[in-house]
Amino acid sequence: MSKPLEITNLYKRFGGLIAVNDVSFKLQPGEVVGLLGPNGSGKTTVLNMISGALPCDGGSVRIGSTDITKMKPHRVAKNGVARTFQLVRPLPTLSVAENVQLSLAFGKKRHWGREARTLAEEKLAFVGLEGRGDERVGNLTYIDQKRMEMARALASEPELLLLDEWLAGLNPSELRIGIDLVKNLQGQGMTVLLVEHIMEAVRALCSRCVVMSAGEKIAEGPSAEVLREPAVIKAYLGDDHA
């Protein structure tokens, strides 16, 4: 069973730039929530702080009753958090299955050898890459690299999955495949925080949205309502459209 995510008064500064300023929100177990905003609004910085890739300058991050605010990424992963990145980051000298097996070695439970290979193949089958574990990553199409990255994230057995523009760059048919895959995760009770610019995907997947602009939260609520708010329209399109 997934655990709730709660971030409170999250704050991050880079020199004179305040990238995230007093951001708070919660995710309940099994929710798929969109974290939206124009480029530079601080969304990826929030994901980086949740996953431990960046230290927080203020505020806290909790998974259930566990405070993960000051944990290193490998400790955050052991507490049930996995993520994807804006750009797929495969290890090109390894096979598809070996890329996934790395996560199995460093996730909540450590798996090695034949057991790890079997579990890697199961994750690959789940994302639509059944029987392709021996291929080189360079042979995969873009959507299949995205699938492999998802399998790698799922191999760490997360309770919370952070998807950072995972659907970006897909053509319409590939986008449908990606949406269906996230829906399958939702059907299994996975909690997902989704950073995304593709509104078709947001509307299809996210019951709620949190919207950021210039490092601050400007809206939160049901997706259909939030996307109509003047402050959100202004943040994306400017004053003339608000």
Side-chain angles (χ1 to χ4, degrees):
M1 180 64 180
S2 295
K3 298 175 184 177
L5 165 71
E6 182 175 1
I7 72 170
T8 305
N9 306 125
L10 214 56
Y11 181 85
K12 184 65 184 178
R13 177 190 288 271
F14 297 103
L17 172 67
I18 299 175
V20 175
N21 188 19
D22 197 32
V23 171
S24 301
F25 60 84
K26 298 179 183 179
L27 269 67
Q28 296 303 320
E31 274 196 301
V32 178
V33 174
L35 181 58
L36 312 182
N39 290 331
S41 58
K43 307 180 301 297
T44 294
T45 302
V46 168
L47 293 196
N48 285 338
M49 287 191 283
I50 295 171
S51 65
L54 280 176
C56 301
D57 293 331
S60 64
V61 181
R62 302 184 70 87
I63 298 291
S65 60
T66 304
D67 189 337
I68 65 170
T69 310
K70 297 182 180 181
M71 290 184 183
K72 298 294 185 182
H74 69 283
R75 294 299 307 165
V76 174
K78 285 192 173 296
N79 278 277
V81 179
R83 69 167 295 178
T84 65
F85 294 86
Q86 292 179 3
L87 299 175
V88 180
R89 299 179 178 181
L91 296 169
T93 61
L94 301 182
S95 70
V96 172
E98 287 169 341
N99 267 268
V100 178
Q101 284 174 253
L102 283 176
S103 289
L104 287 160
F106 297 101
K108 289 179 68 177
K109 300 178 182 178
R110 293 192 174 188
H111 303 280
W112 305 93
R114 183 176 298 177
E115 179 191 27
R117 178 59 189 245
T118 299
L119 291 170
E121 293 291 355
E122 289 177 3
K123 298 303 181 185
L124 289 170
F126 177 80
V127 300
L129 294 177
E130 185 173 7
R132 301 184 64 182
D134 289 327
E135 292 187 31
R136 292 292 165 183
V137 174
N139 295 338
L140 299 180
T141 63
Y142 188 61
I143 178 61
D144 286 343
Q145 287 190 29
K146 293 272 190 175
R147 285 168 155 166
M148 186 206 71
E149 186 183 38
M150 176 71 82
R152 190 165 58 181
L154 296 177
S156 66
E157 302 173 275
E159 296 179 348
L160 169 67
L161 183 60
L162 309 174
L163 298 181
D164 193 357
E165 296 190 41
W166 184 73
L167 298 166
L170 303 182
N171 65 38
S173 60
E174 292 171 340
L175 179 61
R176 187 69 254 171
I177 292 169
I179 289 172
D180 288 343
L181 182 53
V182 178
K183 281 187 174 180
N184 285 340
L185 294 174
Q186 185 178 23
Q188 293 187 357
M190 181 77 71
T191 305
V192 180
L193 182 58
L194 178 76
V195 169
E196 194 51 72
H197 288 290
I198 302 171
M199 289 301 109
E200 176 186 350
V202 172
R203 291 186 174 95
L205 294 169
C206 303
S207 58
R208 291 194 301 119
C209 290
V210 176
V211 184
M212 295 180 63
S213 180
E216 299 184 348
K217 186 177 78 171
I218 61 170
E220 180 178 2
S223 298
E225 296 177 13
V226 164
L227 295 175
R228 292 196 300 264
E229 288 194 16
V232 174
I233 296 170
K234 178 181 177 181
Y236 273 102
L237 301 175
D239 291 317
D240 292 341
H241 297 270

